[in-house]
Amino acid sequence: MMTVLELRSVSKSYRSDFLFRRMPALTDVTFDVAAGETFAYLGHNGAGKTTTIKSLLGLIRVDAGNIRVFGHAPGTMAAKRRLGYLPENPYFYDHLTAREFLHLAARLNDMNRSDAKHRADQLLALVKMDHKANVRLRNFSKGMLQRVGLAQALIGDPELLVLDEPMGGLDPVGRYEVRRILEELKSRGKTLFMSSHILADVETLADRAAILNGGTLRRLVDLHELGHQERIMDLKFTQLSEAMVGELVRRGYPVERRAEAHHVLVEEHFAMAGLIDELVRSGSRLLRAAPHRVSLEEIFLREVERDVGQTPEDLLHRTVDELVGATSVKEESTP
Amino acid sequence: MKSILLATTTFREAVRDRVFGLVAAFGLLLVLSTVIISPLTVGARGKIVTDIGLASISLFSLLMVLFVGSGMVHKEIDRRTIMTILSKPISRLDYLLGKYLGLWATLFVMMAAMTLIFACACALTEAEWKPTYLVALGMALCEMTVVTAVVVFFSSFTTPVLTSLFTLATFIVGHAIGDLERFAMVTGSAGMERAADISRFVLPNLDLFNVRNAVVHDLPVHSEHVVWAVVYALLYSAVLLAISDLLFRRREFK
């Protein structure tokens, strides 16, 4: 399959102060995006997502490494003709109307007047902003600007869409509509490269995700194989004594109480049989032992928090808490 | 072609942002000057109106170029609009030219409107409207063509405040180059002569465009001077825009 985006050992740093010290924004980032793929680019604020996107567009120059967009250097006309870009929190010309702005975008994409007019109207309808076509952009809310931003990114019917937080500023209905448009684009074979904080949307849309932390690529996740990558077993017990719960927590097992049962999460090859045997002997009843499906959120949290000095046990507790949204027994039972 | 698209947008934005409020301010100033200052003059009311009118057109044009031009590029960088525009198949030179031409078009329409008000003021007072005023105003337009290029040049690599300050400084020194040369000649100082030479080579000689006094006092303005001034304005602006492009191409949008 053709490679649309290619990043090889890309590094970028910014001058941080008057002493000319440089702060790394990207360090040795390497990945490819294939044609027709939906690729999510994840990371917390300041992780280097927008820096990567700007590098792809030729808006900044990288210090080291190589970037190719459809085989061309970023920022060249050949590359720009084949991509559409939606910036994060977009602001456009205040005094232009939505229709005028999209018309400008279409004309900049080499369309003639009549095609530009037709395409602008078509996209205003697609993003459900046709009723505001003649309203100046200064009167638009954040969500409305986001829709116009998506429309301008689509104006040239690009093969590659680079979307920086496409769901940002949208209400639930707006999010649903944008997701629907992106799904439609995906089904038409467009390549989508999107950064997002909304992991649920990413999980629904993306084929692969890259997790970035501190400017370093931590992990590439194949979202079709999610759940099979992390082997954690969820053991469901009843009649687990409080003393035993305390003992499990002391040993570092995440334990959670749901209704009348306790759930203990155990790494598959971590003496699971021995633990089950021990708990059954102590009077507990094992109701179920099932694989625990790991979400993208859990992987993301694990990767981005690796640097903040937490132990794997802390992380496991944390991710379980985040996932289930319940109070850990550990916290309740620890004096 | 794409620079024309952006020029139209820049012009439209400026007009809808009520930049022509400056034209209204100009009209008000002209009316007030005839009402307040004219009674203080003895038999020279017409000349006062002419002097104030022509000088004000230059002043208000300069203010417009400074206010609109200095923040023009920076605002788009700050709000990331420039990233959307430059992600389209458009070169940075086209972008910069679009900004320049849009600002110039705004300037042209504004000067035309002020000229109309000035002609009306002449008709309503004792001031005589002379066709040579159009030569003075044309020269003022040439001067502002250069100043617009200076604004675009500074805004291609620095902040709005510094752009305004540097442009204003260039405007002031550009008008003092003749004085600097005369001063160097009188003092005979080699250092002063060198400073005058460098200034003449690097900075725009804006005094070249000032024919207001000659026009108001019916002194001749030679056609060779006018042609040279027009050529100078076009060449200086073109060179400055070419340097701006070199700087702007290297600029990173963080």
Side-chain angles (χ1 to χ4, degrees):
Chain A
M1 193 173 277
M2 193 184 89
T3 302
V4 169
L5 281 179
E6 197 179 317
L7 280 86
R8 291 279 172 276
S9 305
V10 171
S11 297
K12 172 71 185 170
S13 59
Y14 291 117
R15 205 173 72 196
S16 63
D17 55 27
F18 289 111
L19 296 172
F20 298 99
R21 274 191 304 210
R22 296 190 77 86
M23 293 288 288
L26 289 176
T27 308
D28 202 23
V29 172
T30 298
F31 63 86
D32 291 336
V33 178
E37 189 177 21
T38 299
F39 191 91
Y41 206 51
L42 312 175
H44 55 69
N45 294 332
K49 300 189 299 291
T50 302
T51 298
T52 308
I53 288 175
K54 286 176 181 175
S55 307
L56 297 176
L57 299 169
L59 295 169
I60 56 173
R61 289 182 303 280
V62 295
D63 301 337
N66 189 30
I67 301 177
R68 292 274 136 187
V69 182
F70 294 103
H72 303 286
T76 55
M77 290 296 164
K80 291 202 280 189
R81 279 199 181 93
R82 298 172 74 175
L83 67 82
Y85 165 58
L86 167 68
E88 186 181 4
N89 299 327
Y91 280 99
F92 307 115
Y93 297 110
D94 276 347
H95 297 283
L96 293 192
T97 65
R99 178 176 280 133
E100 285 169 343
F101 178 66
L102 290 185
H103 190 264
L104 169 70
R107 298 278 283 141
L108 290 176
N109 270 287
D110 303 315
M111 284 184 208
N112 62 36
R113 275 175 198 276
S114 64
D115 286 352
K117 187 178 176 304
H118 175 71
R119 184 72 178 147
D121 288 344
Q122 191 184 32
L123 285 170
L124 280 168
L126 180 75
V127 297
K128 294 198 166 42
M129 291 303 295
D130 40 349
H131 63 296
K132 298 276 184 187
N134 295 317
V135 176
R136 289 191 195 177
L137 294 172
R138 68 183 305 184
N139 299 314
F140 277 29
S141 68
K142 202 175 166 187
M144 289 155 85
L145 283 173
Q146 190 78 5
R147 288 165 188 246
V148 174
L150 183 61
Q152 66 76 31
L154 294 172
I155 203 98
D157 195 21
E159 294 162 67
L160 165 66
L161 271 162
V162 179
L163 310 168
D164 200 351
E165 296 293 342
M167 310 292 185
L170 295 171
D171 58 23
V173 177
R175 261 177 63 189
Y176 168 76
E177 284 166 357
V178 168
R179 202 168 53 231
R180 191 181 49 77
I181 292 168
L182 297 183
E183 279 166 354
E184 159 70 13
L185 291 165
K186 187 179 171 177
S187 70
R188 283 171 48 202
K190 303 287 183 191
T191 309
L192 307 181
F193 180 90
M194 53 188 263
S195 78
S196 182
H197 284 125
I198 304 170
L199 300 183
D201 290 335
V202 169
E203 245 180 302
T204 314
L205 279 167
D207 299 309
R208 281 195 303 150
I211 299 173
L212 199 69
N213 191 26
T216 308
L217 187 64
R218 290 291 182 197
R219 188 160 172 181
L220 279 167
V221 183
D222 185 334
L223 292 170
H224 299 299
E225 291 179 8
L226 197 68
H228 303 289
Q229 291 185 344
E230 302 280 322
R231 299 288 183 182
I232 295 176
M233 295 299 286
D234 179 356
L235 308 180
K236 185 178 178 184
F237 287 96
T238 54
Q239 298 160 22
L240 197 62
S241 67
E242 286 303 313
M244 187 50 78
V245 169
E247 173 60 20
L248 287 172
V249 169
R250 195 188 58 75
R251 285 198 233 160
Y253 290 106
V255 183
E256 186 207 342
R257 186 179 185 126
R258 274 186 249 162
E260 293 303 306
H262 283 91
H263 291 255
V264 183
L265 295 187
V266 187
E267 285 188 36
E268 198 175 27
H269 302 294
F270 194 71
M272 190 175 69
L275 183 70
I276 292 172
D277 187 47
E278 184 185 347
L279 292 179
V280 170
R281 277 172 194 273
S282 74
S284 307
R285 260 186 78 201
L286 177 67
L287 294 182
R288 191 186 69 199
H292 169 68
R293 191 177 187 279
V294 177
S295 71
L296 179 61
E297 186 176 40
E298 186 172 348
I299 296 172
F300 176 77
L301 288 169
R302 198 175 288 187
E303 292 300 334
V304 300
E305 291 180 4
R306 186 170 286 175
D307 289 339
V308 293
Q310 295 188 50
T311 63
E313 287 75 21
D314 290 337
L315 284 165
L316 198 57
H317 281 293
R318 171 74 191 275
T319 50
V320 169
D321 290 345
E322 297 271 357
L323 270 171
V324 181
T327 310
S328 166
V329 176
K330 178 188 176 188
E331 287 169 5
E332 287 172 0
S333 59
T334 305
Chain B
M1 182 56 201
K2 286 180 182 172
S3 55
I4 301 293
L5 286 171
L6 283 179
T8 313
T9 304
T10 305
F11 176 74
R12 202 177 276 174
E13 280 276 294
V15 171
R16 291 181 183 173
D17 205 14
R18 301 190 194 96
V19 70
F20 290 124
L22 278 171
V23 177
F26 165 78
L28 195 67
L29 179 81
L30 211 57
V31 171
L32 287 177
S33 69
T34 52
V35 174
I36 299 168
I37 302 171
S38 296
L40 305 175
T41 61
V42 185
R45 192 179 175 199
K47 276 200 167 34
I48 292 292
V49 170
T50 314
D51 258 345
I52 291 177
L54 290 174
S56 303
I57 288 175
S58 289
L59 177 71
F60 279 88
S61 301
L62 176 68
L63 288 178
M64 193 284 284
V65 171
L66 282 179
F67 288 146
V68 179
S70 59
M72 195 170 57
V73 175
H74 192 268
K75 187 177 159 192
E76 292 199 13
I77 294 171
D78 204 34
R79 302 176 73 178
R80 293 189 282 259
T81 314
I82 198 166
M83 293 170 198
T84 309
I85 299 298
L86 291 181
S87 70
K88 309 278 179 214
I90 177 173
S91 68
R92 293 195 181 192
L93 175 63
D94 270 334
Y95 176 84
L96 219 51
L97 271 180
K99 289 286 148 195
Y100 175 78
L101 293 174
L103 189 57
W104 190 89
T106 312
L107 171 77
F108 179 81
V109 173
M110 189 175 147
M111 285 186 86
M114 288 193 290
T115 302
L116 202 64
I117 294 171
F118 174 54
C120 292
C122 286
L124 294 172
T125 59
E126 293 163 19
E128 183 193 353
W129 169 262
K130 298 174 195 167
T132 48
Y133 291 165
L134 287 177
V135 175
L137 289 167
M139 294 289 265
L141 180 63
C142 286
E143 181 185 9
M144 286 304 132
T145 300
V146 174
V147 175
T148 305
V150 173
V151 162
V152 171
F153 167 73
F154 285 121
S155 65
S156 68
F157 66 92
T158 189
T159 62
V161 175
L162 290 179
T163 298
S164 298
L165 286 175
F166 291 156
T167 306
L168 196 60
T170 307
F171 181 81
I172 292 166
V173 178
H175 274 286
I177 285 177
D179 293 334
L180 201 62
E181 283 175 335
R182 280 187 288 276
F183 186 67
M185 209 181 291
V186 169
T187 56
S189 154
M192 281 305 295
E193 273 182 31
R194 176 158 291 184
D197 283 346
I198 292 171
S199 302
R200 195 177 51 220
F201 183 72
V202 176
L203 297 170
N205 182 5
L206 298 178
D207 231 13
L208 188 71
F209 305 104
N210 188 0
V211 293
R212 278 197 305 272
N213 277 342
V215 165
V216 172
H217 296 99
D218 296 324
L219 299 172
V221 179
H222 300 292
S223 57
E224 295 86 359
H225 179 85
V226 174
V227 171
W228 165 237
V230 171
V231 170
Y232 178 82
L234 292 175
L235 277 178
Y236 195 92
S237 303
V239 169
L240 209 53
L241 287 173
I243 299 169
S244 309
D245 177 47
L246 288 177
L247 295 169
F248 197 59
R249 259 187 232 190
R250 295 194 55 76
R251 187 162 183 171
E252 294 195 292
F253 302 106
K254 293 173 189 168

